[in-house]
Amino acid sequence: MDNKTTVGSDAIRSLFDAGTFVEIGAYVRQAATDAYTGLVCGYGAIDGKLTFAFAQDMDRMKGALDEAGAKKLRAIYDMAVKNGAPVVGLFNSAGVVVYDGSAALDAYGTWMRCVSDASGVVPQIAVICGVCAGSAAVTASMFDLIVTVKDKTKLYMTTPFVLGAETASAEAAAKSGLSALTCESEAEAMGAVRALVGLLPSNNCDHAMADAEDPNRALAVGAPLPAAMLDGGVMTELYAEFAPEMTTALGRMGGEVVGVVAAKGALTVDAARKAARMVSLCDAFHIPVLTLVDSEGVDVDAEAQAQPASSVYARLATAYASSTCAKVTVVTGKAYGAAYTLLGSRALGADLVFALPEAVISTMAPDKAVAFVWNDKVTEENTREMVEKEWIDTYAKPEIAAMRGDIDDVIPAEELRMRVCSALYMLSSKADEKPVRRHPTLAL
């Protein structure tokens, strides 16, 4: 057997802790040609965490998928699910073995079924190291997160000869919201994957904690949110190039992994889609969601509304309402209209809702509210600014929402981290269902 080192085997080994990678199915060959399959598969440790991986190897049949390769994939997926361990896929392939006919098409179907069955059970991270086209692009898009590499990624469903090469680039994948992270090099991409594996739980039943920074650390006045709230100020932002008005990220608070959803400005259709995806990912793996709200309301841009906007906002509402993970929401600034409701409100299932003293919670923007119902109060002596302040003091201060029980507390900014950390600790044992009771206790 030829055991020469290949591009795929080098790449997959670089992902793991030194000396831990074990290849599976190394002897498997393609039936028709007796050549090695285009896949390198195996397992190893990433910072000590068991992880399974595969790499499409351009040195072996141009990374093409065949029936034998699909069997190797199914084997590592079976082991990953049984052991509750993440799967990392390195995509770089010329396609399928064309002379395999329907068997090659079934190979992709087998692969897609494996990815679908594992979805929500173990994390799946795709790295697009080269060409990822057609059915491979569909399969990669089924993964939880996609990492792309500048000047190397070519990700497309329809040949770029038709749509233009720029549509297949890493930059295009980032701007469309398909890729979560874009890296400068393959080595940087491997580092990003290692970081993600370290943050994500091994499976949907895992609850790993890490060494924590002091949860009682006070926030400095004017510290940028949300990064300043996280342990060490370290935040792994996801989908940064897509809908930048919405920040989604992973980080730790008091050692607990938390997913961040932070709105700034109008809640656009793309921002709602981005937030819903993040809440869904966190809920699948029981990661708490911290939502920070500073939104002027739902976007009213005519072009945006021409899309099926209501269905996207409905998706966001469903993501929050149906999720069972711990959810803590903080109104940090404006919270107008439907944006307040959609972004993790108590009514949609948040466990705890806080607000900063300067927060403004209103059915509509104060200037619009005054123009709509209080315009007759505006006089030369009683200026519009004065009337708008009266509106805020009467209807939109966070203390008013707290008195109604819609938020739990109004807290100063410097206490925000310690209060959220405390809430996460309290919610760490939150169960999806009420414990089964044997019987009530009896009084004497």
Side-chain angles (χ1 to χ4, degrees), residues 2 46 50 176 182 203 233 272 318 334 406:
D2 182 5
I46 294 181
L50 175 64
S176 68
T182 303
N203 54 69
T318 301
K334 301 171 182 176
D406 297 324

Side-chain angles (χ1 to χ4, degrees), residues 366 368-379 382 384 386-395:
K368 291 181 173 58
V370 166
F372 186 59
V373 296
W374 275 12
N375 203 47
D376 56 337
K377 286 193 173 188
V378 179
T379 63
N382 200 26
R384 185 166 297 276
M386 293 168 63
V387 176
E388 288 174 7
K389 183 179 183 305
E390 182 184 355
W391 174 273
I392 292 172
D393 291 341
T394 305
Y395 296 110

Side-chain angles (χ1 to χ4, degrees), residues 121-208:
V121 179
V122 296
Q124 299 178 80
I125 303 171
V127 186
I128 315 302
C129 306
V131 177
C132 182
S135 293
V138 174
T139 308
S141 299
M142 295 170 68
F143 278 50
D144 297 309
L145 297 168
I146 293 178
V147 178
T148 52
V149 183
K150 286 184 178 178
D151 300 326
K152 283 196 170 185
T153 294
K154 295 178 177 61
L155 177 61
Y156 55 88
M157 187 68 195
T158 303
T159 171
F161 293 114
V162 176
L163 300 178
E166 68 278 359
T167 64
S169 67
E171 291 78 4
K175 290 179 180 178
S176 68
L178 184 58
S179 68
L181 291 171
T182 303
C183 299
E184 295 291 334
S185 66
E186 190 172 304
E188 183 181 316
M190 295 301 111
V193 171
R194 288 177 61 88
L196 287 171
V197 170
L199 282 169
L200 293 168
S202 290
N203 54 69
N204 60 351
C205 295
D206 186 31
H207 186 187

Side-chain angles (χ1 to χ4, degrees), residues 32 141 230 360:
S141 299
L230 302 176
V360 180

